[in-house]
Amino acid sequence: MTATTRVWSLHRFELRVIIWNTADVVLEETSVTGERMSDIYVKGWISGIDIPQSTDIHYRSDSRFGLSV
């Protein structure tokens, strides 16, 4: 029996995360028509890697939910 050596190669990859919705968002601003609104985005990072990433911004969301309908 012969010994074999297995060589592992490293591959770069990209992790993509989908945020389907948010809930209980605090509406901190008021529109010119008097409606409560807020710009919503989600920021996250992987534990041990201090490079935060952010989603795109849903400007002037007028509900407490960040749904893309």
Side-chain angles (χ1 to χ4, degrees):
M1 183 183 283
T2 61
T4 60
T5 303
R6 182 173 284 183
V7 177
W8 295 96
S9 61
L10 297 177
H11 297 279
R12 294 192 79 156
F13 64 92
E14 179 177 270
L15 174 65
R16 292 185 176 234
V17 177
I18 298 172
I19 308 296
W20 287 106
N21 62 26
T22 58
D24 299 326
V25 174
V26 177
L27 302 178
E28 296 179 339
E29 302 172 27
T30 305
S31 70
V32 294
T33 60
E35 295 177 286
R36 302 292 297 157
M37 65 176 191
S38 192
D39 297 339
I40 299 174
Y41 71 96
V42 176
K43 184 184 228 181
W45 55 92
I46 297 174
S47 179
I49 302 175
D50 295 328
I51 304 172
Q53 299 288 315
S54 298
T55 63
D56 58 334
I57 299 173
H58 293 263
Y59 291 102
R60 296 170 192 80
S61 178
D62 59 357
S63 70
R64 293 182 6 231
F65 304 96
L67 297 173
S68 297
V69 236

